[in-house]
Amino acid sequence: MAPPRNHRPGFSRRAQYTVFAGYVLAASGALVGAILLLISIIDPRAFAVFRGAVREATTPVSAGLDWAWDGVSAVPRGIGDYFGAVDENRRLRAREAATRRYLMQARSLNRENARLRTLLALRDRSASPVVAARLVNSSASSTRRYATLNAGSSQGVLRGQPVRGPDGLIGRVVETSPNTASVLLILDPESIVPVRRTRDGLSAIVAGLGNGQVEVRTAGVVNAPLLAGDVFVTSGTGGIYPPGIPVARVSRSQRDVAPARVFAEPDALDFALVERAYLQPPVPRPTPTATPSPKPAAE
């Protein structure tokens, strides 16, 4: 059986050296402290110089350790500040987006209110208003250009009545139901509107092209110049459209036939005014019925 191991320092040379070194360091430290205490008592100036040298030697180390500690301690704070800034940035962006939406809604409402005020003023000036209705839709992607009104025969809308907006003529009613009506826009290829030029009264017609534009064609005059910027309004010919409604402006100078743009863009309108036809259709005369000849009296 092996003898038990004794862990006392005396049986380990390395442990003995460690204990001895500890005693030496302790004694040296006590001796240095005693010498420094003696110097501070005998010669305070020399001790002040020694203290200054120690400060000079230890200050960079202390500064470096302090800088390292500030850097280490600032890491959690920096991380928190970063995530806080990210959250704050997200909140600010969300608030900005909401503000932008509110601003767009406010601008849209302002434009709609301005158009409604203009339409109401136009209705007050109109001699024969029927109803102000909303333009529900328009066929912008088709060569046939129609629009739908949310008012129909129940509101007094009849076939053949003109429809206009705050800026000018839109078209005429071609079909009605109790609460809706179909409007043939002046942009449609089958639309023909008699017009006159405002500066000299030149008679012409405005015909739709089906591509969002119209063309002006002179009537009764050959080789008549049509200048860019010429404005044409309804003439009242035909008895449907009242005279004086703005229709189109010539966009390029030509003779006899020139391209033009309408004043009232149906795709940009929300409301329209339906008016009575300028001239009501004549009432058909009753067909005379033949009166039966009296029967001869019986003899």
Side-chain angles (χ1 to χ4, degrees):
M1 181 175 177
R5 298 180 61 184
N6 195 341
H7 295 284
R8 289 185 303 170
F11 293 94
S12 174
R13 193 172 296 275
R14 180 178 298 178
Q16 291 176 355
Y17 289 155
T18 302
V19 173
F20 179 73
Y23 290 152
V24 171
L25 289 175
S28 300
L31 180 61
V32 170
I35 293 172
L36 293 176
L37 180 61
L38 185 61
I39 292 173
S40 64
I41 296 173
I42 297 174
D43 191 359
R45 285 186 183 176
F47 190 73
V49 173
F50 179 77
R51 284 199 307 268
V54 172
R55 283 197 305 271
E56 292 292 332
T58 57
T59 297
V61 177
S62 301
L65 293 175
D66 186 65
W67 177 82
W69 174 253
D70 289 341
V72 172
S73 62
V75 169
R77 184 172 62 253
I79 295 174
D81 292 343
Y82 171 77
F83 286 106
V86 170
D87 293 339
E88 183 67 20
N89 193 15
R90 289 175 180 171
R91 286 194 295 271
L92 289 176
R93 287 184 178 179
R95 187 180 304 171
E96 182 183 2
T99 304
R100 190 181 297 112
R101 288 195 300 270
Y102 294 148
L103 182 60
M104 292 175 62
Q105 293 175 359
R107 289 177 177 174
S108 178
L109 288 175
N110 286 336
R111 288 194 295 268
E112 183 174 342
N113 289 335
R115 288 194 292 266
L116 284 174
R117 285 194 296 269
T118 306
L119 195 63
L120 289 174
L122 179 63
R123 181 174 180 175
D124 294 338
R125 295 196 304 269
S126 177
S128 55
V130 176
V131 67
R134 181 182 288 273
L135 279 170
V136 179
N137 57 56
S138 62
S139 54
S141 59
S142 172
T143 55
R144 301 307 308 274
R145 304 302 299 269
Y146 290 91
T148 302
L149 285 172
N150 66 344
S153 56
S154 299
Q155 290 78 33
V157 179
L158 302 176
R159 189 171 182 268
Q161 291 177 336
V163 181
R164 64 178 299 180
D167 299 322
L169 185 65
I170 297 175
R172 71 177 188 273
V173 178
V174 293
E175 187 177 306
T176 63
S177 60
N179 294 299
T180 63
S182 181
V183 179
L184 179 71
L185 303 177
I186 60 175
L187 304 172
D188 189 86
E190 293 189 1
S191 173
I192 299 294
V193 180
V195 295
R196 61 178 175 82
R197 189 160 56 186
T198 55
R199 62 185 175 90
D200 58 2
L202 175 69
S203 296
I205 60 173
V206 171
L209 299 178
N211 59 358
Q213 293 188 350
V214 296
E215 64 180 12
V216 179
R217 307 170 187 169
T218 58
V221 179
V222 180
N223 204 25
L226 299 172
L227 305 179
D230 282 348
V231 175
F232 286 84
V233 298
T234 53
S235 63
T237 303
I240 296 179
Y241 307 105
I245 302 176
V247 179
R249 177 185 283 112
V250 175
S251 56
R252 187 171 66 250
S253 298
Q254 291 185 184
R255 289 186 176 271
D256 290 337
V257 180
R261 293 192 65 86
V262 297
F263 286 102
E265 294 287 349
D267 298 334
L269 294 176
D270 298 325
F271 295 90
L273 181 66
V274 181
E275 295 183 340
R276 290 182 176 84
Y278 179 50
L279 297 177
Q280 299 298 326
V283 179
R285 295 181 179 179
T287 304
T289 57
T291 57
S293 58
K295 295 180 179 181
E299 295 182 358

